[in-house]
């Protein structure tokens, strides 16, 4: 294993609009699905919402200055669609463009590379009302919105992610009911929504390439490599199912340009096949060679066994991960389980750097040498405060161990080009409010949202400075 990371490997950190910006009703921004969903009693932890979040909208200059001080080479953030197009598909809000122009320029001022996600879950409410991702209109509107972003920011932004974690917003939205639009167990809608996302992605990539801006564009998935809990045939089979549903369904249409045949067959049997046209399927095919990279959000692997009874989605509590978002829960299929000999975070997410290494090899075996970025990885914790200092040693340990396996993976020929810790700054966790922290920068909610550097801030600066030298 080399002592240092390659010179062109990007060290970054990430955020997402709804989780940091706040200013939910300012400067012409339209309402989003999350603005509405988070106000429904019982949907979020203690009713927390992103109305103010950590006020990044007003404090971005201070935040970017801190990121620069940390030595961050790149900042991954998302654009809120409803700031640019308040109705999702209509007239442009100049103030929205202005905010992101300023944010981008502020990054560039310090030499921080902006890595921009176009969709990190906050959908303009007008589109959600119209069926959201189950309606093709949303996909077409997304492509127009993406085109506006490319034309407005593409002279300075050279790294684009279309979507963040399709399995999450579709799975939690249409199977588990834990994200908007809050629908449970509707497999037909779930698969339909994912199909529209893949189509929108492919069309946005085509649009981007036609503009000849010579940057790169890809999509980000949450990567949940599945292990069987044991070597029994039924559980090995369950793990195959899990990988097919959690991974192949999401990467095949992007990288192979077609859906995995055995899942398609299964959907036919169940009556869950999305309505798709030849034009849409052709679009996926055409796009297969045009993706520049794949973003991976890796937090944990999953351990699965055969499901011997249908598990209600209600059991998918926000505190645990007893079921994964893309798993239709029916008798005879698969379910995730916790194992006594594994280590978990306070929120029940398994800590397994090895799981990532194994998973990366699994991806390479199926998809070849595609370029990849780790677009999220990090530890959600209630950080210890000792004598006024945020001593987030478990986070340092977590990131350190993951960086080690990433370095190893690169030396084994995995084409990884960057690492974005989740998150740059403490932010709103979708379902866990501000209790679950991820940042290098602490935000004091009792004290005017003041920023403070955590121990990990200094540690990460050192890592970047020495390029992870061991
Ligand atoms: C990913 C999302 C992020 C972030 C992260 C941590 O799935 O892309 O937006 O929320 O998970 O999740 P949580 O806040 O639930 O711990």
């Amino acid at each position: 294993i080399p002592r240092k990371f390659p010179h062109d490997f990007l060290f970054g950190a990430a955020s997402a609009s709804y989780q940091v910006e706040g200013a939910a009703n300012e400067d012409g921004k339209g309402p989003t699905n999350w603005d509405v969903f988070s106000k429904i009693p019982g949907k979020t932890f203690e009713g927390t919402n992103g109305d103010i979040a950590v006020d990044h909208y007003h404090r971005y200059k201070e935040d970017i200055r801190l990121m620069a001080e940390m030595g961050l080479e790149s900042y991954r953030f998302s654009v809120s669609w409803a700031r640019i197009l308040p109705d999702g598909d209509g007239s442009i809000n100049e103030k929205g463009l202005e905010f992101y122009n300023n944010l981008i320029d502020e990054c560039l001022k310090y030499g921080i590379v902006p890595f921009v996600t176009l969709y990190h879950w906050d959908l303009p409410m007008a589109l959600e009302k119209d069926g959201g991702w189950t309606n093709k209109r949303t996909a077409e509107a997304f492509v127009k919105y993406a085109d506006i972003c490319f034309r407005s920011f593409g002279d300075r932004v050279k790294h684009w992610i279309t979507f963040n974690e399709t399995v999450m917003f579709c799975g939690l939205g249409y199977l588990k009911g834990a994200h908007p639009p809050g629908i449970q167990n509707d497999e037909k809608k779930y698969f339909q929504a994912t199909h529209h996302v893949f189509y929108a992605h492919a069309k946005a990539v085509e649009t981007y390439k036609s503009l000849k801006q010579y940057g790169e564009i890809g999509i980000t998935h949450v990567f949940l490599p599945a292990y069987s809990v044991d070597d029994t045939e039924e559980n090995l089979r369950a793990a195959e199912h899990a990988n097919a549903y959690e991974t192949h369904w999401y990467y095949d249409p992007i990288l192979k340009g077609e859906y995995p045949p055995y899942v398609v067959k299964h959907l036919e049997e169940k009556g869950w096949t999305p309505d798709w046209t030849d034009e849409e399927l052709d679009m996926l095919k055409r796009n297969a060679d045009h993706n520049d990279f794949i973003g991976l959000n890796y937090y944990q692997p999953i351990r699965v066994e055969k499901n011997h009874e249908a598990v209600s989605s209600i059991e998918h509590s926000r505190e645990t991960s007893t079921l994964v978002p893309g798993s239709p829960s029916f008798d005879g299929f698969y379910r995730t389980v916790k194992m006594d000999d594994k280590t978990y975070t306070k929120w029940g997410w398994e800590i397994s750097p090895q799981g990532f290494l194994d998973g990366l090899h699994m991806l390479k075996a199926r998809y070849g040498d595609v370029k990849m970025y780790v677009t999220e990885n990090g530890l959600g914790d209630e950080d210890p405060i000792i004598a006024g200092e945020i001593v987030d040693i478990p986070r340092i340990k977590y990131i350190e161990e993951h960086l080690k396996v990433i370095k190893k993976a690169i030396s084994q020929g995995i084409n990884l080009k960057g690492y974005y810790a989740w998150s740059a700054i403490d932010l709103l966790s979708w379902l866990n409010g501000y209790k679950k922290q991820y940042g290098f920068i602490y935000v004091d909610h009792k004290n005017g949202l003041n920023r403070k550097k955590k121990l990990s801030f200094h540690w990460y600066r050192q890592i970047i400075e020495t390029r992870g030298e061991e």
Side-chain angles (χ1 to χ4, degrees), residues 19 120-121 164-165 168 297 299 349 376 422 429-430 432 436 438:
Q19 298 178 275
H120 202 128
W121 307 353
N164 182 70
E165 298 187 357
M168 282 296 189
N297 292 353
Y299 291 90
W349 296 19
E376 284 181 32
W422 184 266
S429 165
W430 302 93
N432 303 284
K436 192 179 186 187
Y438 281 94

Side-chain angles (χ1 to χ4, degrees), residues 297-334:
N297 292 353
Y298 177 77
Y299 291 90
Q300 56 177 334
I302 48 178
R303 310 274 164 185
V304 306
E305 64 179 15
K306 182 173 173 179
N307 187 15
H308 284 290
E309 63 202 282
V311 184
S312 151
S313 60
I314 309 294
E315 287 172 42
H316 180 83
S317 127
R318 62 169 159 264
E319 300 282 322
T320 63
S321 55
T322 51
L323 284 173
V324 281
S327 61
S329 46
F330 56 85
D331 200 1
F333 216 42
Y334 65 97

Side-chain angles (χ1 to χ4, degrees), residues 50-231:
D51 283 0
I52 299 173
V54 296
D55 202 24
H56 189 55
Y57 189 79
H58 295 113
R59 297 176 187 232
Y60 70 93
K61 285 194 177 166
E62 180 188 356
D63 293 342
I64 303 296
R65 186 177 52 69
L66 281 164
M67 290 180 209
E69 200 188 312
M70 189 163 54
L72 218 63
E73 294 175 328
S74 181
Y75 176 37
R76 172 184 176 227
F77 58 87
S78 80
V79 173
S80 173
W81 185 343
R83 276 196 204 285
I84 310 284
L85 296 163
D87 296 323
D89 188 8
S91 55
I92 296 180
N93 174 33
E94 292 298 332
K95 282 274 186 193
L97 292 179
E98 190 184 313
F99 170 68
Y100 293 107
N101 272 321
N102 290 341
L103 180 62
I104 291 160
D105 289 342
E106 200 64 19
C107 289
L108 295 175
K109 182 169 122 188
Y110 295 103
I112 296 174
V113 174
F115 213 114
V116 176
T117 310
L118 289 166
Y119 187 80
H120 202 128
W121 307 353
D122 41 356
L123 181 68
M125 196 57 204
L127 294 172
E128 184 74 281
K129 276 190 189 142
D130 215 10
W133 288 104
T134 62
N135 187 343
K136 189 175 178 183
R137 184 190 156 210
T138 298
E140 301 293 3
F142 174 83
V143 178
K144 283 193 237 163
Y145 152 67
D147 184 49
I148 293 166
C149 291
F150 300 148
R151 287 172 197 273
S152 308
F153 314 129
D155 56 335
R156 289 151 296 151
V157 173
K158 298 297 172 192
H159 308 268
W160 296 94
I161 293 166
T162 53
F163 290 91
N164 182 70
E165 298 187 357
T166 310
V167 70
M168 282 296 189
F169 67 89
C170 293
L172 295 175
Y174 294 103
L175 294 177
K176 314 299 175 204
H179 277 204
I183 293 171
Q184 282 176 12
N185 301 329
D186 195 329
E187 277 85 359
K188 174 85 188 168
K189 282 200 171 126
Y190 164 68
F191 287 107
Q192 185 68 61
T194 61
H195 170 69
H196 283 150
V197 171
F198 303 139
Y199 167 72
H201 164 79
K203 211 165 166 180
V205 170
E206 191 174 74
T207 305
Y208 183 65
K209 300 279 161 162
S210 74
L211 293 172
K212 300 212 179 332
Q213 292 185 338
Y214 304 108
E216 55 174 10
I217 186 162
I219 190 169
T220 276
H221 291 296
V222 63
F223 185 34
L224 296 159
Y227 292 101
S228 167
V229 291
D230 58 28
D231 286 339

Side-chain angles (χ1 to χ4, degrees), residues 252-267:
D252 280 21
I254 308 292
L255 296 172
K256 290 175 176 279
E258 58 188 24
Y259 290 106
Y262 38 94
V263 181
V264 171
K265 190 165 161 274
H266 192 195
L267 299 193

Side-chain angles (χ1 to χ4, degrees), residues 265-284:
K265 190 165 161 274
H266 192 195
L267 299 193
E268 271 163 22
E269 284 160 21
K270 289 273 176 189
W272 296 338
T273 310
D275 299 325
W276 46 37
T277 63
D278 288 347
E279 180 248 332
E280 289 157 16
L281 295 175
D282 270 0
M283 177 63 75
L284 300 186

Side-chain angles (χ1 to χ4, degrees), residues 8 21 77 138 218 222 224 258 282 292 341 347 356 379 388 412 449 468:
D8 61 345
E21 285 179 5
F77 58 87
T138 298
V222 63
L224 296 159
E258 58 188 24
D282 270 0
D292 297 304
D341 60 340
W347 275 268
F356 193 34
L379 176 69
Q412 295 171 345
L449 301 178

